[in-house]
Amino acid sequence: MAVKLVERNIVTQHKRNRGFRPLPSKTKVCSYWLKGRCNRSPCRFLHAELPLQNASHRKVSASTLPEGHVASNTMKERDGLKLGDRLCRHWASGTCTKGDKCLFQHSWSLGEGFSLLATLERHEKGISGIGYPSGSDKLYSGGKDGVVRIWDCHTGQCSNKVDVGSEVGSIICKDQWVFIGLQNVVKAWNTQTAAAFDLKFTAGLVYCFAVKGDLLFAGCQNGHILVWRGSSPSSPPQLITSLEGHTSVVVSMVVGANRLYTGSLDGTIRVWDIDTLGCITSFKGHTDAVMSLICWDEYLLSGSLDRTIKVWGGSSPGARTLEVVYTHKEENGVLALNGVHDKERNPILLASCNDDTVHMYELPTFVERGGIFSNWEVGVVQVADACPIFFTGDGSGILKVWKVTGVLKGSVL
């Protein structure tokens, strides 16, 4: 059967635009004009900023503001106007002339307890994988440009670039191993022995990974989940089986306890037994693609393009079935989830959405603690295991390093 080619960025953009209703002529700013690239004359959109002189007498919403501004759920009071915090696109491009009088956000983040530590040299295309081996002084990032960059954590500089020949779909690190998912191949690099292996197959692009013990799981473009078993640092992992059941691309997976949870563009979540590698159950609580899965405490959290984050729990420990115990609604589709702890060790959920923002929620209350703004969708949010930092990679190829409250010594990252 021919593999149906489905690119994540195309699917995401389609979902992002679905249901969009253009504003009437001359009530919306031309986004091409804002970038200096509009060549239409006449153009049915405004070639000027929207007037704000009567803003205090009307409701301000995302649809009444220039298209180039990003909305967040957090509200603030400024100059008598109550505005949802929005990134000033002119400030982001270095062209805002309003200074303190600008009504929009002049910062890449909002909230306390974290800060931007470093912005690293960009990939030529969007970032699709970030890996930080535990105990290593190297950071790995892969992009749709077919390049894996290796960063020196002491200097923040790119120490090496490896052309892997095709788009990178995902990266995961386990102990001394770095696994890079490509089209019909997984590259396995051992950072201690310098051994390198190509694990070949015919299942399309690898979009996600998970590791449990000596098992490596890879979610593939054809809907299959490939499973390898490692033997020694000097020999390549061996392919032992392919798990089938999803009817579309597998884009998310996570291991919790002795189970593997997988999410797909088909909108379902499947649960697999790690010991037997058999499917325990499957369920469909989302109406769109399940883009991200993480485990927190005894719960499973899933993020979807249907604009929800769902919290799943069992009726008892080890229960075969899961039920939705809470649904958090977003204004936009969810692309990636991950979690960190603040200085009081409270769990904080990082939720990237396709409005170019990353929201930060305290668990279990989902009280918003802050957020991160970007010029592009943040498709990857990766957390370092050994230190209080996390990484974001966006669709333009920019990799940023964020520091949770606390002093880091001895390295840039």
Side-chain angles (χ1 to χ4, degrees):
M1 181 186 299
V3 176
K4 183 179 180 181
L5 299 179
V6 181
E7 298 295 342
R8 175 183 288 174
N9 58 333
I10 296 177
V11 173
T12 300
Q13 190 64 34
H14 168 71
K15 301 303 181 183
R16 185 180 182 180
N17 292 336
R18 189 175 65 181
F20 174 73
R21 181 177 300 171
L23 293 174
S25 299
K26 298 302 181 181
T27 62
K28 181 180 178 183
V29 174
C30 174
S31 61
Y32 292 95
W33 174 81
L34 285 173
K35 299 175 183 178
R37 296 193 285 110
C38 184
N39 56 13
R40 293 184 178 181
S41 182
C43 178
R44 68 190 185 98
F45 299 112
L46 278 173
H47 281 200
E49 298 284 4
L50 288 176
L52 289 176
Q53 62 267 28
N54 297 321
S56 59
H57 303 296
R58 59 179 172 87
K59 182 179 179 181
V60 179
S61 64
S63 62
T64 59
L65 292 169
E67 183 185 40
H69 291 82
V70 176
S72 167
N73 291 331
T74 307
M75 304 299 291
K76 72 177 180 180
E77 195 77 31
R78 192 170 194 182
D79 295 336
L81 297 178
K82 213 171 188 181
L83 296 176
D85 289 305
R86 294 170 172 84
L87 177 67
C88 176
R89 293 298 193 190
H90 298 289
W91 171 83
S93 62
T95 60
C96 183
T97 60
K98 297 181 180 179
D100 293 339
K101 295 182 179 180
C102 183
L103 296 174
F104 304 106
Q105 185 77 13
H106 281 203
S107 173
W108 292 114
S109 63
L110 178 71
E112 299 179 351
F114 72 102
S115 60
L116 180 62
L117 187 61
T119 299
L120 305 184
E121 183 182 349
R122 67 193 296 167
H123 283 261
E124 294 300 320
K125 294 183 179 180
I127 293 175
S128 48
I130 300 172
Y132 188 36
S134 179
S136 172
D137 63 352
K138 296 291 188 295
L139 173 71
Y140 295 78
S141 63
K144 298 181 185 298
D145 56 2
V147 172
V148 172
R149 288 178 176 265
I150 305 173
W151 308 88
D152 186 312
C153 296
H154 297 289
T155 65
Q157 300 299 310
C158 181
S159 59
N160 195 13
K161 293 192 298 182
V162 181
D163 187 345
V164 292
S166 65
E167 171 186 351
V168 175
S170 184
I171 292 178
I172 194 171
C173 297
K174 175 63 175 178
D175 299 328
Q176 73 268 32
W177 287 99
V178 178
F179 298 103
I180 303 161
L182 308 172
Q183 184 82 16
N184 293 323
V185 64
V186 168
K187 289 189 175 293
W189 297 345
N190 190 304
T191 59
Q192 293 183 0
T193 66
F197 306 102
D198 284 350
L199 313 179
K200 297 182 179 180
F201 49 87
T202 55
L205 184 62
V206 173
Y207 280 96
C208 55
F209 283 117
V211 175
K212 174 65 173 180
D214 61 353
L215 296 178
L216 171 68
F217 301 91
C220 299
Q221 189 172 347
N222 68 348
H224 294 182
I225 301 156
L226 302 182
V227 187
W228 289 268
R229 188 184 300 277
S231 55
S232 71
S234 59
S235 60
Q238 298 299 309
L239 182 65
I240 60 174
T241 191
S242 175
L243 308 182
E244 299 181 17
H246 286 293
T247 59
S248 188
V249 186
V250 178
V251 292
S252 58
M253 60 174 55
V254 67
V255 171
N258 207 40
R259 295 180 175 182
L260 171 71
Y261 302 92
T262 58
S264 169
L265 292 187
D266 63 18
T268 67
I269 298 173
R270 285 185 169 263
V271 186
W272 311 83
D273 186 284
I274 295 292
D275 293 328
T276 67
L277 297 179
C279 184
I280 298 174
T281 186
S282 66
F283 41 89
K284 188 170 184 176
H286 289 286
T287 59
D288 213 325
V290 182
M291 299 299 293
S292 188
L293 295 167
I294 65 170
C295 289
W296 169 67
D297 204 358
E298 71 270 26
Y299 299 101
L300 174 72
L301 277 67
S302 59
S304 170
L305 291 179
D306 67 6
R307 304 180 182 184
T308 66
I309 300 171
K310 292 185 181 290
V311 182
W312 304 80
S315 57
S316 61
R320 291 179 61 88
T321 60
L322 296 178
E323 298 178 350
V324 177
V325 297
Y326 179 73
T327 297
H328 174 78
K329 296 182 179 180
E330 288 286 354
E331 294 181 358
N332 299 275
V334 180
L335 300 178
L337 301 175
N338 218 315
V340 295
H341 287 87
D342 64 13
K343 63 180 181 180
E344 286 85 23
R345 300 300 298 168
N346 296 312
I348 304 298
L349 175 67
L350 306 173
S352 172
C353 295
N354 60 7
D355 63 344
D356 308 342
T357 62
V358 179
H359 298 279
M360 308 181 74
Y361 299 109
E362 185 172 323
L363 295 177
T365 61
F366 272 86
V367 172
E368 189 158 15
R369 292 279 298 270
I372 293 171
F373 300 103
S374 177
N375 272 329
W376 294 74
E377 292 178 352
V378 175
V380 184
V381 180
Q382 182 62 46
V383 175
D385 293 331
C387 52
I389 59 176
F390 62 94
F391 312 93
T392 57
D394 70 20
S396 71
I398 293 179
L399 174 60
K400 292 186 177 182
V401 186
W402 301 87
K403 169 185 173 183
V404 182
T405 298
V407 178
L408 302 178
K409 297 181 178 180
S411 68
V412 172
L413 302 185

